[in-house]
């Protein structure tokens, strides 16, 4: 979910939505994102809306957050009228596993109570490998979770140190095996590549570790140095170099080759899955412009062309909901052209691509030129779809700019 607050209009105190946003609700897939804002420590590269216990003091706690979450989900069901059954749930953060299996079970119970789950719903939680165990995985599987995403980042100890990650290099692989032994068919490992000091051999070691874990999904993201983070300050002081784009491209190609050899296929520029069933259905909601309610401090939502975002601090979040008010800080009603541009930005990243007729005439001409430049697949374009080539994936942002 995006971490920066876009500029928008004030949100109604009761959280109500325009009638236009509710038209067709339930005809599109519907998901719930739950943001857990708690972390044991702050990673140097992270600019997500997270807080350590020391930063929060006595102003907020997991208990006050959970009570606020229950109230927001009840508010969501009321605002939506006849709330659709939830197709996907994604509990992210932050570090959701800090809630423990019991806390995560209560989160899912709250979603069930307010909305209900559709048959075959995908239910994912992110987890820090260090705050998991065989018992934890068994308990959340029994609670109804169907998918686990584990933060691995790297198998190299010195790379983890630069990122301020606290887990030991071998723990993510062990945690993935424990999750599979507990009955999780779908397990994801997250990688970050391009960290200052990471060598090609370091990356190869990480990819070897991923292969040994036997997971059916891998996400790999190039390190972004976000302003305001400890990592950005170290780069600015000259202690660490800024990641090099050419090096990042080479490492992406290495990752893609390793995933292909492992039997995983890219379905989004930064995501590989062993099968269609292994792809993250919740993230596909975002990329395909469907509907989701984001609950929790700083969470973003989208329903029927209306996007809004919650206040960021857990104490203010709980305070507003206790007073019977919406925690939304602001919102945007997207114009048709905004929605078209967002559709290009997101769908073009998918292996299924973007329908050519979404583009205006100038964009369609640019698509043909991009195919001539080897960035879009000629055969797919002839069938009316814009699909990135291998080279196009390396330059996806530039291709989007051309088409919009």
């Amino acid at each position: 979910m995006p971490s920066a607050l876009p500029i928008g209009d004030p949100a109604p105190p009761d959280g109500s939505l325009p009638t236009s946003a509710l038209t067709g609700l339930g005809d599109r897939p519907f998901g719930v994102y739950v943001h857990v804002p708690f972390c044991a420590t702050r990673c140097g590269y992270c600019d997500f809306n997270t807080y350590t216990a020391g930063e929060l003091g006595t102003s907020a706690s997991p208990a006050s957050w959970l009570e606020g979450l229950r109230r927001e989900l009840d508010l969501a069901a009321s605002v939506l009228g006849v709330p659709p059954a939830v197709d996907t749930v994604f509990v992210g953060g932050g570090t959701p596993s800090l809630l423990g299996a019991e806390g995560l079970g209560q989160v899912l119970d709250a979603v069930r109570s307010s909305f209900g789950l559709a048959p075959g719903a995908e239910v994912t939680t992110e987890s820090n490998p260090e705050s998991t165990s065989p018992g934890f995985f068994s308990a959340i599987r029994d609670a109804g979770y169907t998918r686990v995403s584990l933060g691995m980042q790297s198998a190299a100890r010195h790379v983890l140190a630069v990122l301020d990650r606290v887990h030991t290099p071998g723990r993510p692989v062990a945690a993935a095996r424990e999750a599979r032994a507990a009955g999780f068919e779908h397990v994801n490992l997250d990688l970050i590549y391009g960290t200052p000091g990471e060598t090609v051999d370091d990356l190869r070691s990480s990819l070897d570790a991923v292969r040994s874990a036997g997971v059916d999904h891998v996400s790999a993201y190039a390190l972004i140095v976000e302003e305001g983070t400890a990592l950005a300050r170290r780069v600015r002081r000259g202690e660490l170099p800024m990641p090099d784009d050419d090096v990042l491209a080479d490492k992406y190609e290495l990752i893609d080759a390793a995933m292909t050899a492992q039997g995983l296929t890219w379905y989004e520029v930064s995501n590989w899955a062993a099968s269609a069933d292994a792809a993250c259905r919740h993230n596909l909601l975002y990329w395909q412009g469907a509907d989701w309610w984001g609950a929790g401090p700083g969470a973003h939502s989208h329903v029927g062309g209306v996007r809004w975002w919650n206040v960021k601090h857990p104490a203010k979040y709980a305070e507003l909901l206790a007073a019977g008010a919406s925690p939304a800080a602001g919102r945007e009603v997207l114009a048709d052209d905004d929605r078209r541009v967002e559709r290009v930005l997101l769908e073009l990243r998918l292996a299924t691509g973007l329908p050519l007729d979404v583009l205006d005439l100038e964009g369609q001409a640019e698509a043909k030129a991009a195919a001539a430049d080897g960035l879009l697949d000629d055969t797919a374009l002839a069938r009316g779809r814009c699909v990135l080539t291998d080279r196009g994936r390396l330059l996806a942002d530039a291709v989007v700019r051309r088409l919009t």
Side-chain angles (χ1 to χ4, degrees):
M1 302 295 291
S3 57
L5 296 184
I7 298 171
D9 299 320
D14 62 357
S16 58
L17 292 171
T19 301
S20 60
L22 301 178
T23 302
L25 182 67
D27 295 339
R28 302 175 294 270
F30 184 84
V32 170
Y33 171 77
V34 175
H35 185 72
V36 181
F38 309 111
C39 279
T41 61
R42 181 171 297 281
C43 297
Y45 65 93
C46 179
D47 74 335
F48 294 160
N49 187 43
T50 62
Y51 305 83
T52 64
E55 291 168 338
L56 286 173
T58 59
S59 68
S61 68
S64 64
W65 167 83
L66 182 59
E67 184 56 36
L69 177 70
R70 291 189 178 108
R71 287 173 171 155
E72 184 180 3
L73 291 173
D74 284 344
L75 172 68
S78 175
V79 165
L80 295 177
V82 180
V86 175
D87 297 296
T88 66
V89 179
F90 195 105
V91 184
T95 309
S97 48
L98 285 180
L99 299 176
E102 181 179 358
L104 285 171
Q106 291 172 336
V107 168
L108 189 52
D109 285 344
V111 176
R112 286 194 185 100
S113 175
S114 298
F115 284 90
L117 297 180
E122 175 194 86
V123 183
T124 303
T125 183
E126 294 180 336
S127 296
N128 185 320
E130 291 295 333
S131 52
T132 63
S133 66
F136 168 85
F137 290 120
S138 293
I140 64 170
R141 187 73 184 90
D142 290 344
Y145 286 81
T146 66
R147 188 173 180 277
V148 172
S149 181
L150 296 162
M152 176 177 174
Q153 281 68 56
S154 175
R157 190 178 299 274
H158 70 97
V159 173
L160 294 174
V162 171
L163 295 172
D164 293 323
R165 294 291 295 184
V166 297
H167 65 258
T168 55
R171 178 58 199 155
V173 170
R177 291 171 178 165
E178 291 166 3
R180 293 177 59 220
F184 281 97
E185 182 180 353
H186 303 307
V187 180
N188 172 64
L189 284 173
D190 270 339
L191 290 175
I192 291 177
Y193 62 96
T195 300
E198 179 192 57
T199 66
V200 170
D201 285 343
D202 291 331
L203 180 55
R204 286 198 176 102
S205 294
S206 297
L207 295 171
D208 288 343
V210 168
R211 183 175 63 250
S212 72
V215 297
D216 67 343
H217 192 287
V218 173
S219 301
Y221 300 100
L223 178 68
I224 298 175
V225 180
E226 301 283 4
E227 280 302 317
T229 62
L231 180 63
R233 290 190 290 273
R234 294 185 68 187
V235 170
R236 189 166 54 248
R237 290 194 299 263
E239 297 174 16
L240 297 170
M242 181 70 79
D244 179 88
D245 287 343
D246 290 336
V247 172
L248 292 176
D250 290 343
K251 289 184 175 180
Y252 179 86
E253 291 180 323
L254 178 61
I255 292 167
D256 186 51
M259 294 301 102
T260 301
Q262 192 175 320
L264 275 63
T265 303
W266 80 280
Y267 70 98
E268 192 273 342
V269 168
S270 298
N271 289 271
W272 292 259
S275 66
D277 289 341
C280 181
R281 287 162 46 195
H282 185 84
N283 284 342
L284 284 167
L285 288 181
Y286 304 149
W287 297 321
Q288 295 174 340
D291 296 331
W292 72 91
W293 192 289
H300 288 222
S301 304
H302 173 268
V303 174
V306 179
R307 179 171 54 215
W308 67 96
W309 50 95
N310 286 347
V311 295
K312 299 183 78 171
H313 199 280
K316 183 64 174 178
Y317 170 79
E319 176 188 329
L320 286 167
L321 286 158
S326 165
R331 80 176 187 189
E332 293 177 301
V333 179
L334 302 174
D336 288 344
D337 193 55
D338 293 329
R339 298 183 75 177
R340 182 188 65 81
V341 170
E342 286 199 358
R343 188 173 177 189
V344 176
L345 173 68
L346 296 171
E347 287 188 36
L348 192 65
R349 294 180 62 86
L350 297 171
T352 51
L354 171 81
L356 180 63
D357 60 13
V358 171
L359 305 176
D360 58 21
L361 292 178
E362 184 178 349
Q364 291 182 23
E366 282 291 342
K368 293 175 183 176
D373 292 340
L375 301 173
L376 293 177
D377 183 89
D378 277 320
T379 303
L381 194 64
R383 296 197 303 263
R385 297 197 74 83
C386 301
V387 176
L388 293 170
T389 61
D390 290 348
R391 180 167 175 264
R393 277 191 277 162
L394 296 174
L395 300 168
D397 291 344
V399 178
V400 168
R401 288 193 293 270
R402 289 180 64 168
L403 301 189
T404 55

